[in-house]
Amino acid sequence: MKWQRKDLLGLRDVSEQEIQFILETAKPMKEVLFRSVKKLPTLRGKSVVTLFFENSTRTRTSFEIAGKVLGADTSSVTVAQSSVAKGESLLDTVKTIRAMQPDVVIMRHPSSGAAEYIANILDVSVINAGDGQNEHPTQALLDMFTLKEHMGELAGKKIIIVGDILHSRVARSNAYGLLKLGAEVIFAGPPTLLPLEMKTLGVQVTYDLDSVLPGADAVMPLRLQMERQQKGLLPTLREYNRVYGLNLKRMEQTGKQTLVLHPGPMNRGVEIESDLADSALSVIEEQVTNGVAIRMALIYLFVGGSANDVD
Amino acid sequence: MWIKNVHLVDPAQGISGIRNVLVQDGVIQAISTDLDTGEQLSDEQALDGTGKYLFPGLIDVHTHLREPGLEEKEDIASGSAAAIRGGFTGIMAMPNTQPVIDQRALVEFVKHQGERAGLARVYPIAAVTKGQRGEELTEMVDLRAGGAVALSDDGRPIMNAEVMRLALEYAKLPDLIVITHSEDANLALDGCMHWGETSLALGLKGIPSSAEAVMVARDMLLAAQTGGKLHVAHVSAWESVEIIRQAKRQGIDVTAEVNPHHLIFSDEDVTLNSTALKVNPPLRSQEDCEALLQGALDGTIDFLATDHAPHTWEEKAQPMPEAPFGILGLETALPAVWQYLVQPGRLSVEKMVEMWSALPARRFHLPGGSLKVGEAADMVLFDPLAKERVSRDNLASKASNTPFLDQELRGLPVMTWVAGGLKQKDRRIL
């Protein structure tokens, strides 16, 4: 397959073949990460710009390492976004970045649709590193990569995503991606954070986590933003933990060795207990490594073209 | 001047048919059915109306002209020019400017700016509460004396029900109608499109229909309690239509308007970056569109109104959550309604003219609304075959935030008169 896409804005409009192709490309990339010299000459002289309008050390660092391992020069622009003090418009910021001749622009922004917005302006590729509550495709890809490493093909696998689905771009991207790979996807969460209408995405939705745990192949608790409680969407974190918090005991209900993933950063004691997070079921640290591999694959595909050899 | 052989649509007189209309000294002098007489009267002053419609000038009860204070979006002169190009001879201007129109001097300023522009008749709407803060009532009697034709805190809901009750009570003194922007600010919080399957899929925060309907219901109860006069702006949800229908059955003194965009577009047309369709209340579901049209046809909804809401290009060139709400309306509303509703036979031309001219004039006691003999000749000649591509260059408005930008519309006002004076001919302001 030849990689022809200009941007990766989300998984909503990406085909199964394209997803599989990205996941395949990430495999040799991951091997590079375990070499003693983690540096390829592949993208020497190429410019990768990360443009972050939200704080996210993890994701930004992951992209930067990915670019650097491939030999590209990475530059990061962090724009403190205040809704009160209006600074330069996104349009002008992006035009400024464009004038610096990057080869790929990676952006995180608090507004849904912001990635598509800049992709319409830029001739170079845009990778969405999270836009509002819309999509976070690289997170979903690294989740799928991790799942596939452990369970092979995902067709028919039962995967539960738990928590604040309403506000989660991770849940949306995972739903789009996992469904394309044939998995059974279940959203579980409290009614205030899980509108039943979300089943139109093609997923099953439930308020009752315990009822769907039996037979689950993987469970992914989402990070619970503390402001949800402050805004009245939840009475207390304590009650949330009681109903949706994952721990080893609760996981026994699955009746099998169920993988636990988490997009990070974790709120230990809220959506996940330490006994589970640090257990053999947890693949949370592998996700981080795989995140670099996925981002290497994407930067490579967008900047380097479609040739398959990495060396 | 005779306008000969034209299809006159004047619901106030029950006329819809070919007529000859004589205009002299700015007023309608005669309406003749005798086409032969019309032929005989042909002279250089005659205008051939064959194949065209003559409507009483349209009256728009809901526009934002942005002056004073927000002239980068629009001003009263440019907004009046847009009105004339769109077939509107009278426009009611919302008071959510900077400063808010909450004092008599400001009402008179808006009126005078309208007169200076010398195009459409501009009728100021004054605020219900000082600064539209929803706290203290404005000097409604003085505002009326200065020329205010109605009261509204449009753009900002009056969240305190007691303030709304007091407003409906006190507005009886100057006999002014309170126009409500029915929206529960908490339910609507930070939303940028209709709450539904599309918003959930796109991750765009939704505004539920209940944000409108609970306030419409509240305001009906308060109108019933006080006996005040109410007009519900921009109805968008089927639940609101149902509540208003019930209220009218109970004899509550309420009218309601629908904006063309709520009849023509639904949330299914909204995409991640379609800021031209970002409007408040938001474009709702197909079922809501149907219920709104049904409400218009059965009289639950009284008027068509544009909610003309100009914004600068820069403001709309932002991601959806950050772009301001509002759709330009004056220059595209009539052709859009013609093309999307009248031509397909979903709304009759007579009903359209009634909802956009006769009924608003009657409700707000404005001149016009009919071309009866002796009335001022506020009128529009409409050519159902005229075509125009909507572009930044030909819009008279300062703004261009319309979903019809760069699209061709068919069916246009080709002449507009105010008090017999020709203000627009062949799409150009005179």
Side-chain angles (χ1 to χ4, degrees):
Chain A
M1 160 174 191
K2 213 169 155 60
W3 185 252
Q4 286 176 322
R5 193 164 277 274
K6 174 184 167 280
D7 312 293
L8 182 71
L9 307 179
L11 299 186
R12 191 184 295 121
D13 305 317
V14 174
S15 70
E16 188 207 337
Q17 289 89 330
E18 286 173 298
I19 291 172
Q20 297 285 16
F21 186 67
I22 296 165
L23 299 180
E24 282 304 311
T25 309
K27 279 183 188 169
M29 299 295 174
K30 184 171 179 181
E31 284 163 25
V32 173
L33 291 176
F34 289 94
R35 291 180 189 174
S36 57
V37 178
K38 302 174 183 57
K39 192 78 169 177
L40 299 176
T42 320
L43 299 185
R44 195 164 53 199
K46 298 293 184 182
S47 166
V48 174
V49 171
T50 61
L51 179 57
F52 273 56
F53 291 84
E54 277 181 351
N55 290 329
S56 169
T57 312
R58 304 165 61 96
T59 308
R60 203 192 64 223
T61 307
S62 180
F63 271 109
E64 283 177 12
I65 291 174
K68 285 183 167 127
V69 172
L70 289 167
D73 293 309
T74 63
S75 317
S76 66
V77 182
T78 307
V79 186
Q81 181 82 335
S82 162
S83 58
V84 186
K86 285 267 186 323
E88 188 179 48
S89 74
L90 179 59
L91 180 61
D92 284 337
T93 304
V94 170
K95 283 180 169 177
T96 303
I97 299 289
R98 178 174 67 185
M100 295 173 185
Q101 309 299 329
D103 293 294
V104 61
V105 175
I106 294 151
M107 184 175 79
R108 168 164 293 189
H109 195 280
S111 294
S112 302
E116 181 189 271
Y117 177 88
I118 72 160
N120 290 337
I121 299 163
L122 293 169
D123 293 328
V124 297
S125 296
V126 173
I127 300 176
N128 182 6
D131 63 328
Q133 297 164 10
N134 178 36
E135 288 226 40
H136 189 357
T138 60
Q139 177 69 43
L141 288 164
L142 75 88
D143 291 337
M144 287 185 275
F145 186 89
T146 307
L147 290 167
K148 279 189 74 175
E149 274 195 329
H150 285 269
M151 56 182 76
E153 291 309 310
L154 301 184
K157 294 288 191 290
K158 179 175 177 179
I159 293 152
I160 307 174
I161 302 175
V162 188
D164 181 5
I165 308 290
L166 175 61
H167 302 97
S168 176
R169 53 196 175 209
V170 175
R172 281 180 182 77
S173 284
N174 261 305
Y176 295 128
L178 289 167
L179 290 169
K180 281 174 180 154
L181 299 194
E184 178 194 354
V185 181
I186 302 171
F187 284 169
T192 47
L193 298 175
L194 176 56
L196 293 179
E197 288 85 346
M198 292 199 75
K199 67 175 180 291
T200 54
L201 298 185
V203 302
Q204 189 189 325
V205 299
T206 180
Y207 304 142
D208 186 356
L209 172 62
D210 292 327
S211 73
V212 292
L213 280 176
D217 293 289
V219 180
M220 187 190 301
L222 298 170
R223 176 179 168 78
L224 187 76
Q225 304 284 343
M226 298 304 172
E227 67 180 60
R228 306 294 173 228
Q229 191 272 323
Q230 290 150 12
K231 286 192 172 168
L233 292 160
L234 295 167
T236 58
L237 299 178
R238 175 174 169 271
E239 180 153 300
Y240 179 83
N241 175 260
R242 182 169 296 186
V243 186
Y244 297 102
L246 289 172
N247 51 41
L248 277 178
K249 180 96 181 78
R250 179 165 260 155
M251 290 296 287
E252 283 170 13
Q253 297 178 72
T254 65
K256 54 160 93 169
Q257 288 292 102
T258 304
L259 292 184
V260 176
L261 294 83
H262 192 293
M266 286 184 281
N267 296 306
R268 289 173 184 256
V270 182
E271 71 267 6
I272 190 165
E273 305 280 341
S274 287
D275 67 349
L276 180 62
D278 302 329
S279 74
L281 297 177
S282 166
V283 292
I284 295 168
E285 284 174 41
E286 286 175 45
Q287 287 175 274
V288 177
T289 307
N290 294 339
V292 179
I294 285 289
R295 289 164 182 133
M296 284 173 70
L298 288 167
I299 293 170
Y300 173 74
L301 289 172
F302 282 120
V303 181
S306 65
N308 270 326
D309 74 17
V310 177
D311 287 322
Chain B
M1 175 191 68
W2 278 95
I3 302 170
K4 297 194 326 180
N5 208 29
V6 73
H7 187 140
L8 175 65
V9 179
D10 189 350
Q13 298 188 80
I15 296 174
S16 179
I18 307 298
R19 297 287 190 282
N20 300 316
V21 178
L22 178 63
V23 180
Q24 258 170 4
D25 304 324
V27 296
I28 307 296
Q29 296 289 352
I31 298 170
S32 145
T33 46
D34 189 345
L35 303 183
D36 291 339
T37 311
E39 292 296 325
Q40 287 159 16
L41 284 165
S42 74
D43 57 47
E44 282 163 13
Q45 283 288 80
L47 179 73
D48 183 11
T50 307
K52 299 186 179 70
Y53 291 89
L54 189 69
F55 305 147
L58 303 188
I59 296 170
D60 196 348
V61 302
H62 194 157
T63 68
H64 296 272
L65 303 182
R66 305 300 191 200
E67 186 181 352
L70 302 164
E71 291 87 351
E72 72 278 12
K73 298 173 194 265
E74 193 81 287
D75 59 30
I76 290 170
S78 65
S80 308
I84 290 294
R85 278 190 93 242
F88 296 91
T89 55
I91 47 177
M92 286 167 55
M94 281 294 178
N96 60 334
T97 48
Q98 285 176 8
V100 166
I101 308 301
D102 59 1
Q103 294 177 34
R104 178 174 181 164
L106 291 161
V107 168
E108 291 184 346
F109 169 78
V110 171
K111 221 174 125 183
H112 287 151
Q113 287 296 81
E115 283 159 9
R116 272 186 202 115
L119 293 165
R121 301 176 196 262
V122 176
Y123 305 110
I125 301 170
V128 179
T129 63
K130 291 175 188 140
Q132 291 191 319
R133 285 187 295 272
E135 293 163 4
E136 298 168 36
L137 301 183
T138 51
E139 296 174 322
M140 297 179 182
V141 174
D142 206 29
L143 291 166
R144 160 108 205 212
V149 298
L151 300 164
S152 182
D153 277 3
D154 186 57
R156 307 209 25 204
I158 298 173
M159 284 296 290
N160 184 327
E162 171 64 357
V163 172
M164 186 63 183
R165 186 189 70 81
L166 292 170
L168 284 163
E169 289 282 14
Y170 195 82
K172 291 190 277 186
L173 197 53
D175 190 26
L176 286 174
I177 296 166
V178 176
I179 303 176
T180 70
H181 171 105
S182 297
E183 177 186 19
D184 183 301
N186 297 312
L187 285 170
L189 191 68
D190 296 335
C192 66
M193 69 174 291
H194 175 56
W195 194 99
E197 289 170 13
T198 307
S199 72
L200 290 170
L202 296 177
L204 290 170
K205 193 159 189 310
I207 301 172
S209 295
S210 60
E212 173 178 293
V214 296
M215 290 296 257
V216 171
R218 181 199 77 172
D219 293 342
M220 292 307 133
L221 295 169
L222 294 174
Q225 179 184 338
T226 58
K229 291 182 180 174
L230 198 62
H231 171 67
V232 184
H234 48 49
V235 177
S236 70
W238 70 262
E239 294 91 333
S240 309
V241 177
E242 200 48 51
I243 293 163
I244 294 163
R245 190 175 283 131
Q246 291 291 335
K248 286 192 164 184
R249 273 191 206 132
Q250 291 163 30
I252 294 168
D253 192 349
V254 58
T255 48
E257 77 192 31
V258 63
N259 308 145
H261 45 259
H262 288 125
L263 292 167
I264 293 169
F265 301 107
S266 77
D267 65 338
E268 291 170 35
D269 297 305
V270 176
T271 58
L272 269 178
N273 280 290
S274 51
T275 57
L277 291 174
K278 182 177 175 184
V279 65
N280 192 18
L283 305 172
R284 300 204 184 271
S285 70
Q286 296 276 9
E287 296 77 64
D288 291 297
C289 295
E290 282 307 314
L292 291 168
L293 183 60
Q294 204 48 51
L297 294 175
D298 72 16
T300 302
I301 292 175
D302 303 81
F303 320 133
L304 285 158
T306 64
D307 193 3
H308 178 81
H311 290 293
T312 65
W313 175 84
E314 290 87 348
E315 290 170 302
K316 281 289 194 179
Q318 297 189 83
M320 277 286 266
E322 292 146 69
F325 292 105
I327 292 178
L328 216 56
L330 284 169
E331 291 173 81
T332 52
L334 172 58
V337 167
W338 180 263
Q339 192 166 316
Y340 287 87
L341 299 169
V342 178
Q343 284 237 296
R346 308 183 68 210
L347 181 73
S348 70
V349 62
E350 294 81 11
K351 185 68 186 167
M352 177 188 81
V353 173
E354 184 182 38
M355 292 182 75
W356 237 337
S357 186
L359 295 180
R362 193 184 304 158
R363 176 67 166 165
F364 291 98
H365 308 294
L366 305 175
S370 175
L371 297 177
K372 290 193 185 86
V373 171
E375 291 276 332
D378 288 4
M379 49 189 196
V380 52
L381 189 71
F382 181 84
D383 182 350
L385 300 179
K387 289 185 278 191
E388 184 178 88
R389 194 171 190 80
V390 180
S391 76
R392 281 198 180 85
D393 295 336
N394 60 25
L395 286 169
S397 173
K398 288 186 180 181
S400 56
N401 52 304
T402 160
F404 299 108
L405 192 66
D406 297 324
Q407 286 182 41
E408 188 175 87
L409 289 174
R410 186 177 169 134
L412 296 162
V414 289
M415 294 177 97
T416 311
W417 296 264
V418 177
L422 186 59
K423 302 293 182 186
Q424 180 260 133
K425 185 168 188 293
D426 297 331
R427 313 296 299 138
R428 287 177 194 285
I429 298 292
L430 302 175

